[in-house]
Amino acid sequence: FPGLADVSISQDIPVEGEITVPVGSHSPDEDYSTLDEPVKDTIMRDLKAVGKKFVHVMYPRKSSALLRDWDLWGPLVLCVSLALMLQGGSADSKDDGGPQFAEVFVIIWFGAVVITLNSKLLGGTISFFQSLCVLGYCVMPLTVAMLVCRLVLLAGAGTVSFVIRLIVVGAMFAWSTLASTAFLADSQPPNRKALVVYPIFLFYFVISWMILTFTPQ
Amino acid sequence: QGGGSAVIDMENMDDTSGSSFEDMGEMHQRMKEEEEEEAEGEAGAGEEEDGEFLGMKGLRGQLGRQVADQMWQGGKRQASRAFSLYANIDILRPYFDVEPVQVRARLLESMIPVKMINFPQKIAGELYGPLMLVFTLVAILLHGMKTSDTIIREGTLMGTAIGTCFGYWLGVSSFMYFLAYLCNAQITMVQMLSLLGYGLFGHCITLFVTYNIHFHSLFYIFWLVVGGLSTLRMVAVLVSRTVGHTQRLILCGTLAALHMLFLLYLHFAYHKVVEGILDTLEGPNMPPFQRVARDIPVVSSAVLNTTAKAIALTL
């Protein structure tokens, strides 16, 4: 590069300039910065959000709060408690603690993912995690049913207890399905609601079946 | 007088691999050696943003950074393009474009054999119905396994049920598609999946009824009638799309055999009636009303032996 050999800085022109970056106006995030608040505030805020969603599931009204601020804490807690309660319900006590927990976990999450994909493929307007959130929270009535079943089974395992359990589980299953349908079916075109409701029905049916056929050893 | 010159010394850069920069680097080797001390002195004195006057050390680093940055951008672009191409569920969207009325109509049609086999029959390439039917079959299988207290030694009940049903649907579809390719049948993979999936409707009905009402003869009647009807429908559709007698025979024989045998397997492997057969097999030593849970592989091999013997006797 013969031409470049001539390029040089002349000593007469001083090289100077600003090296400080001008501080811009306060970004709006600074007002909502949650890094400085005490830990108790953060936890209480999250717990309140989770609690509000539980209330929404118990009284399913068409509100968008459950969908807008989705979170997966509630589904995780419900899933783990349901899986723990369903343990130890088989004849072989030496090796069946593991598969029961993994079974329930996999069924719930795999089933929820499949239903979400299905509703998205059918033209739904709901996002992936919103749908997971709704389906997970609507497992709550079935967790309550599991608790009731365990208490009833403590009293005895006869025909009467089976009938009670059947009624309770059936009612909770209907509640779960209706609750999740109230949230999810709205995001579909009106003539395809049945196509979305059927997999949800099947999903909660399988979970209810696992709860109903649970017999502790 | 100039402080430094903007000579690019490419020879000492680490990331030149056979590039023509090396030739240019050779040309200016002399100049580089002369000004190296000066450049090193100046590089520490203050680097500007402009890359030209950074001196040789700074320039080398700058160029290296730029090349690395470009490689990163290129790789990221390729990866995101590949991801959006293959992980895009919109690929499957056209196969889920159905109305509930259509699904119901297709479910009912799957039990009605068509009469016109000289004209290629239309198969709807839809995946919603078959997928829902496979899941329903999984649920029914779970119900059957639970009521018969099946114990699965390696794995879980759910895993076995899902594995069996999905394995059948996907595996047999692929195998039949391969056979269809060999026999020159006009059918696509999605259509094959759809056809076989809707054929599972007969299986669902049969198993749902016979897992709750335990009559041996009832199962055989359902097996022949319901299973037979759905097999006839699938066979008729395939025949209408294949040319040549040998090819038709191969395709339809395989499909009919696999379809009917699957229903037989589902009933016998996961049902209470298994214990009754074992009781009769083990002779007078076993008390007749003892309900003992059995291992599945032992059971199914015993059942297969019995069935094979029975078939051999009748032939």
Side-chain angles (χ1 to χ4, degrees):
Chain A
F1 305 102
L4 285 178
D6 297 327
V7 177
S8 58
I9 308 176
S10 160
Q11 298 281 25
D12 301 325
I13 305 172
V15 176
E16 61 185 21
E18 282 282 336
I19 56 171
T20 55
V21 177
V23 175
S25 56
H26 277 267
S27 58
D29 279 346
E30 234 168 79
D31 295 343
Y32 305 130
S33 158
T34 57
L35 222 59
D36 295 329
E37 63 180 11
V39 176
K40 184 169 83 77
D41 282 354
T42 315
I43 295 182
M44 287 311 295
R45 192 179 53 234
D46 282 341
L47 277 179
K48 270 194 222 139
V50 171
K52 221 178 356 164
K53 291 201 188 70
F54 277 132
V55 170
H56 273 295
V57 170
M58 286 206 299
Y59 303 109
R61 279 181 314 247
K62 288 188 194 355
S63 87
S64 58
L66 194 72
L67 294 180
R68 234 180 319 120
D69 315 313
W70 60 268
D71 75 86
L72 293 177
W73 283 114
L76 182 69
V77 164
L78 287 171
C79 185
V80 169
S81 54
L82 192 62
L84 283 175
M85 284 196 281
L86 275 172
Q87 259 194 352
S90 58
D92 246 8
S93 55
K94 50 178 160 62
D95 58 349
D96 269 331
Q100 293 283 7
F101 187 90
E103 237 182 285
V104 178
F105 221 81
V106 163
I107 290 175
I108 293 183
W109 291 103
F110 178 66
V113 165
V114 165
I115 295 177
T116 307
L117 283 180
N118 176 57
S119 71
K120 280 187 84 76
L121 283 168
L122 284 170
T125 55
I126 204 172
S127 95
F128 184 74
F129 285 109
Q130 281 173 345
S131 173
L132 275 188
C133 165
V134 168
L135 286 167
Y137 272 104
C138 290
V139 171
M140 194 195 72
L142 287 170
T143 314
V144 168
M146 182 70 216
L147 210 57
V148 169
C149 279
R150 273 225 109 141
L151 292 173
V152 166
L153 278 170
L154 279 178
T159 316
V160 176
S161 93
F162 178 73
V163 170
I164 298 177
R165 279 187 291 138
L166 182 65
I167 295 175
V168 167
V169 170
M172 293 299 167
F173 158 65
W175 197 345
S176 283
T177 314
L178 284 173
S180 56
T181 312
F183 289 111
L184 288 181
D186 273 346
S187 61
Q188 294 290 328
N191 53 341
R192 294 198 182 173
K193 286 208 196 333
L195 296 183
V196 179
V197 169
Y198 179 68
I200 298 177
F201 167 85
L202 213 54
F203 175 62
Y204 288 127
F205 180 78
V206 169
I207 299 181
S208 319
W209 187 249
M210 282 197 301
I211 293 175
L212 194 56
T213 59
F214 171 76
T215 45
Q217 294 299 321
Chain B
Q1 244 95 295
S5 88
V7 171
I8 303 173
D9 173 31
M10 293 294 175
E11 206 178 24
N12 291 346
M13 282 184 68
D14 297 337
D15 47 356
T16 52
S17 45
S19 69
S20 59
F21 289 139
E22 286 172 13
D23 304 337
M24 293 180 226
E26 272 177 39
M27 274 167 26
H28 297 280
Q29 183 65 23
R30 284 180 288 113
M31 267 190 231
K32 185 215 79 164
E33 274 163 10
E34 281 172 84
E35 300 166 2
E36 197 156 79
E37 294 107 31
E38 280 177 84
E40 273 175 1
E42 277 188 349
E47 288 176 293
E48 298 176 57
E49 287 307 312
D50 195 71
E52 288 176 344
F53 302 106
L54 274 178
M56 271 171 274
K57 210 189 208 176
L59 189 56
R60 200 180 309 144
Q62 181 80 353
L63 201 57
R65 270 198 299 273
Q66 271 180 2
V67 169
D69 194 33
Q70 268 180 358
M71 279 176 59
W72 165 252
Q73 292 291 342
K76 198 165 101 160
R77 232 178 299 131
Q78 267 187 340
S80 63
R81 232 182 296 143
F83 180 76
S84 64
L85 187 64
Y86 292 115
N88 202 0
I89 60 167
D90 282 336
I91 298 177
L92 293 174
R93 211 178 269 272
Y95 305 125
F96 281 75
D97 192 13
V98 287
E99 307 286 322
V101 197
Q102 282 177 318
V103 175
R104 199 177 54 221
R106 283 174 195 161
L107 281 176
L108 292 174
E109 261 175 20
S110 74
M111 305 294 294
I112 305 174
V114 287
K115 295 222 173 56
M116 204 168 39
I117 58 174
N118 300 318
F119 187 74
Q121 293 296 316
K122 184 174 169 319
I123 310 177
E126 167 228 332
L127 288 180
Y128 173 82
L131 201 65
M132 287 306 128
L133 278 172
V134 173
F135 280 123
T136 312
L137 194 62
V138 168
I140 295 177
L141 217 58
L142 264 186
H143 163 46
M145 289 201 281
K146 276 277 188 183
T147 49
S148 67
D149 292 326
T150 306
I151 304 239
I152 310 274
R153 299 256 168 236
E154 292 100 28
T156 66
L157 279 180
M158 193 70 196
T160 315
I162 290 185
T164 312
C165 297
F166 269 97
Y168 170 77
W169 185 46
L170 295 171
V172 173
S173 291
S174 319
F175 178 64
M176 291 306 305
Y177 178 65
F178 168 67
L179 272 189
Y181 171 73
L182 287 181
C183 299
N184 262 334
Q186 284 171 323
I187 193 164
T188 66
M189 183 65 188
V190 174
Q191 284 174 331
M192 194 68 228
L193 281 170
S194 178
L195 192 66
L196 207 69
Y198 274 114
L200 286 177
F201 182 53
H203 284 16
C204 287
I205 297 179
T206 311
L207 290 174
F208 183 66
V209 169
T210 55
Y211 277 164
N212 292 313
I213 310 174
H214 309 297
F215 282 123
H216 224 51
S217 44
L218 183 69
F219 169 70
Y220 279 118
I221 294 176
F222 262 87
W223 180 62
L224 280 175
V225 172
V226 175
L229 274 179
S230 62
T231 313
L232 275 178
R233 160 142 184 112
M234 289 199 293
V235 157
V237 169
L238 267 186
V239 159
S240 73
R241 284 170 167 256
T242 319
V243 177
H245 283 301
T246 322
Q247 287 94 327
R248 282 178 172 182
L249 199 61
I250 295 176
L251 262 185
C252 304
T254 325
L255 184 61
L258 285 172
H259 198 242
M260 300 297 271
L261 285 177
F262 184 57
L263 185 52
L264 217 57
Y265 168 72
L266 283 182
H267 180 81
F268 283 112
Y270 299 114
H271 191 59
K272 252 183 199 167
V273 80
V274 157
E275 291 156 311
I277 288 184
L278 273 185
D279 289 340
T280 57
L281 278 180
E282 298 190 30
N285 298 331
M286 280 294 263
F289 296 112
Q290 185 176 10
R291 295 276 187 208
V292 177
R294 307 284 173 172
D295 271 306
I296 287 306
V298 171
V299 154
S300 43
S301 63
V303 164
L304 279 175
N305 289 340
T306 332
T307 322
K309 265 185 261 172
I311 293 177
L313 280 175
T314 53
L315 283 177

